[in-house]
């Protein structure tokens, strides 16, 4: 598109293979670099409502609920997420820069693409649970805006814990490099929040682990 200066960091970090790699995490729809789509403040149906400048679109959520993009005119651009965020049309800073966006997507894929995988749709995240996680695990960079208002990431000794913290609930995802480490971590966490009753699994090994844990 004539007159559009693509940030150099975007060109260097998000190639076509990388864009498709990142899309696998949440089955996003790839936009950049396959297409050059600019969301402007005067667009009647903005992907990034309320943002004061034009935004280059990176990807769309698979149901079209929200989009990710970078504001034009920033030498080291932040990554935004805009759309229906927790039921409100808005735009927030998802990650402080493009490299952090890539790192978060890759970290999440490494967490979610494992078995066994324990999950929970639990009560909203409480300070005691957060303090417990911070004391026992190494906190990784957070992201904001989707799918909860804050995504927390923790890891240690082959265990990964991903939290989608929203206003009405917190989704937990627990995984590890092997079943023994996952079982040990789950035993340390099961009495946080309402995990004892809300944890579940959709794979056979995870179901067996939970049965041992909660019996």
């Amino acid at each position: 598109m004539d007159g559009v200066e693509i940030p150099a960091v975007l060109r260097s970090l998000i190639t076509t293979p990388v864009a498709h790699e990142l899309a696998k995490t949440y089955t996003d729809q790839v936009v950049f670099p396959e297409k050059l789509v600019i969301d402007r403040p005067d667009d009647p149906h903005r992907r990034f409502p309320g943002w004061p400048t034009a935004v280059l679109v990176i990807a769309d959520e698979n149901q079209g609920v929200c989009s990710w993009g970078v504001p034009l005119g920033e030498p080291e651009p932040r990554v935004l997420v805009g759309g229906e965020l927790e039921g409100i049309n808005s735009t927030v800073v998802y990650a402080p820069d493009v490299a952090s966006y890539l790192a978060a997507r890759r970290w999440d894929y490494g967490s979610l693409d494992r078995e066994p995988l324990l999950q929970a749709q639990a009560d909203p995240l409480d300070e005691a649970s957060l303090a417990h996680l911070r004391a026992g695990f190494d906190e990784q960079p957070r992201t904001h805006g989707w799918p909860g208002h804050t995504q927390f990431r923790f890891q240690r000794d082959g265990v990964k814990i991903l939290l989608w913290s929203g206003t009405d609930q917190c989704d937990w995802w627990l995984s590890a490099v092997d079943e023994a480490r996952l079982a040990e971590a789950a035993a340390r966490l099961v009495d946080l929040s309402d995990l004892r009753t809300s944890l579940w699994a959709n794979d056979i090994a995870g179901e067996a682990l939970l049965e041992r844990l909660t019996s």
Side-chain angles (χ1 to χ4, degrees):
M1 187 178 293
D2 293 340
V4 175
E5 184 175 350
I6 309 300
V9 67
L10 199 63
R11 285 191 184 277
S12 64
L13 292 182
I14 303 188
T15 61
T16 296
V18 168
H20 283 275
E21 174 202 346
L22 300 178
K24 291 192 302 183
T25 305
Y26 295 109
T27 63
D28 297 336
Q29 302 171 41
V30 172
V31 179
F32 182 86
E34 293 187 345
K35 294 181 289 186
L36 191 58
V37 177
I38 308 299
D39 183 74
R40 301 182 184 280
D42 58 353
D43 289 344
H45 303 290
R46 289 210 73 185
R47 283 178 166 92
F48 299 91
W51 196 259
T53 62
V55 179
L56 187 153
V57 181
I58 297 174
D60 294 326
E61 191 267 342
N62 60 8
Q63 299 297 317
V65 170
C66 61
S67 300
W68 290 266
V70 297
L72 293 177
E74 295 185 1
E76 298 294 331
R78 298 165 287 177
V79 175
L80 311 176
V81 60
E84 187 178 338
L85 309 179
E86 290 207 293
I88 300 173
N89 287 329
S90 60
T91 300
V92 302
V93 176
Y94 179 82
D97 51 51
V98 176
S100 298
Y101 168 77
L102 269 65
R105 277 296 198 266
R106 286 168 169 158
W107 193 98
D108 290 1
Y109 185 80
S111 176
L112 300 173
D113 189 44
R114 284 176 169 177
E115 288 188 3
L117 177 66
L118 304 186
Q119 310 169 47
Q121 285 76 53
D123 289 341
L125 184 62
D126 59 275
E127 289 299 324
S129 296
L130 194 55
H132 185 94
L133 290 167
R134 284 171 170 158
F137 297 88
D138 302 315
E139 188 169 4
Q140 304 303 299
R142 286 166 273 174
T143 53
H144 301 275
W146 184 92
H149 57 67
T150 306
Q151 282 52 251
F152 293 93
R153 298 169 177 87
F154 297 90
Q155 66 182 37
R156 182 173 292 180
D157 298 331
V159 174
K160 285 188 169 186
I161 304 163
L162 172 62
L163 307 181
W164 298 346
S165 180
T167 302
D168 299 322
Q169 71 179 44
C170 181
D171 289 26
W172 294 61
W173 306 83
L174 314 180
S175 64
V177 294
D178 56 53
E179 188 174 338
R181 296 191 207 195
L182 179 59
E184 180 183 358
R188 293 163 56 192
L189 301 174
V190 69
D191 289 318
L192 299 180
S193 184
D194 62 338
L195 292 185
R196 186 168 289 276
T197 56
S198 62
L199 276 172
W200 64 283
N202 62 4
D203 57 80
I204 293 173
E207 290 175 348
L209 191 160
L210 282 179
E211 185 174 353
R212 295 193 302 269
L213 184 66
T214 57
S215 60

